[in-house]
Amino acid sequence: MVISWPYLENGVRFRGMYSSTVNISKKHSFFLFGARGTGKSCLLQRLFEPEKILWIDLLQPSEFEILNREPGDLSRRIEALNPKQTHIIIDEIQRIPKLLNLVHHHIESSKQSNKKRILFGLTGSSARKLGRGSANLLAGRALVYSLFPLTHIELENDFNMDHSLQWGTLPEVVNEPDVEIKRKILQAYTHTYLKEEVQAEQLIRKLDPFHLFLSIAAQMSGKIINYSSIARECGASDASVREYFHILEDTLIGFHLAPFHESIR
């Protein structure tokens, strides 16, 4: 298991002082997946002019409550769009997966009618989490992009291996010069991750063993996984630890790196 990140996909990205080419097309609907704090919302706010988008933030309690209770309200908002608005951005779509059925419907109906074509930008913390919940992933009707923490390519001359290994490369952390503030940012990030990504999504029943597991998993980054040993350390079963690692993958915090074998098989 590697608690790290692969390289960029192509496109345009702006985060703090750093920018890189990432090609999010304005001519197609799209998914933008990435962990919290990687700059998904910031990227889209810079990419689209405010008057040309309808922004729906599902982290806002009022928005979540309305659309979770009455998904059809999305259709009413689409009908009320002004002529200048070309895109609907739904931030954190994984919070209400059933909205994707309506998105699918409106993409198809706008293609088949003479009305103005409406495009969607959908952000989320994991494509796999939506897929596991049997969510409608639009069957190829939306492009898929991934946003990761800053890489050495983006950081260029500012890249420091020791700093990256110690603090990671979340934009907010990289752009903060004060060590104590960096520590507090990461503590707050962990608290938010546990509360909103793990507990709120009911991914596990007991939070304390998973909280301890995070510290142990960080120490195991890049090493061969011994599930039994980690289970003993965090007071959980082997099966639970395996599921914990799946949660890290589902929420884009880490990924499994398969071992190398010389055999052609």
Side-chain angles (χ1 to χ4, degrees), residues 168-181:
T169 59
L170 286 172
E172 190 176 4
V173 174
V174 170
N175 294 326
E176 175 53 58
D178 189 300
V179 170
E180 188 57 32
I181 298 298

Side-chain angles (χ1 to χ4, degrees), residues 31 97-105 122 130 133-139 141:
F31 285 102
K98 56 190 173 184
L99 288 179
L100 288 168
N101 290 327
L102 277 173
V103 170
H104 188 159
H105 167 74
L122 310 163
L130 286 171
S134 301
N136 183 345
L137 293 178
L138 308 184
R141 292 169 178 81

Side-chain angles (χ1 to χ4, degrees), residues 135-236:
N136 183 345
L137 293 178
L138 308 184
R141 292 169 178 81
L143 304 179
V144 179
Y145 301 93
S146 297
L147 196 63
F148 304 104
L150 294 163
T151 68
H152 74 280
I153 297 173
E154 293 175 295
L155 292 168
E156 296 181 333
N157 294 333
D158 288 338
F159 176 73
N160 180 290
M161 178 68 78
D162 290 337
H163 182 278
S164 297
L165 290 173
Q166 182 176 3
W167 300 104
T169 59
L170 286 172
E172 190 176 4
V173 174
V174 170
N175 294 326
E176 175 53 58
D178 189 300
V179 170
E180 188 57 32
I181 298 298
K182 287 180 187 286
R183 184 175 290 109
K184 289 181 178 179
I185 289 172
L186 290 175
Q187 288 173 344
Y189 186 93
T190 303
H191 176 76
T192 302
Y193 172 74
L194 288 169
K195 182 180 178 182
E196 298 188 14
E197 291 286 349
V198 178
Q199 189 176 36
E201 296 293 335
Q202 298 180 334
L203 299 180
I204 56 174
R205 288 183 295 175
K206 295 181 179 180
L207 199 60
D208 288 343
F210 184 80
H211 196 170
L212 181 57
F213 161 79
L214 285 179
S215 298
I216 299 168
Q219 297 173 47
M220 294 296 297
S221 180
K223 300 177 182 178
I224 296 174
I225 299 174
N226 185 322
Y227 293 107
S228 298
S229 177
I230 296 172
R232 287 194 298 271
E233 290 288 336
C234 63

Side-chain angles (χ1 to χ4, degrees), residues 33-87:
F33 292 112
R36 288 178 182 270
T38 51
K40 301 186 298 294
S41 300
C42 179
L43 166 63
L44 297 182
Q45 286 166 357
R46 289 177 178 266
L47 187 62
F48 292 96
E49 298 172 33
E51 64 273 12
K52 292 187 177 181
I53 62 173
L54 170 64
W55 191 282
I56 299 173
D57 184 0
L58 296 182
L59 289 180
Q60 292 290 335
S62 57
E63 288 280 50
F64 175 80
E65 184 178 347
I66 291 169
L67 289 168
N68 190 46
R69 185 179 65 246
E70 182 50 59
D73 189 66
L74 176 62
S75 296
R76 290 189 283 273
R77 299 187 195 192
I78 292 172
E79 292 299 323
L81 289 175
N82 68 53
K84 291 184 178 180
Q85 291 174 307
T86 59
H87 285 74

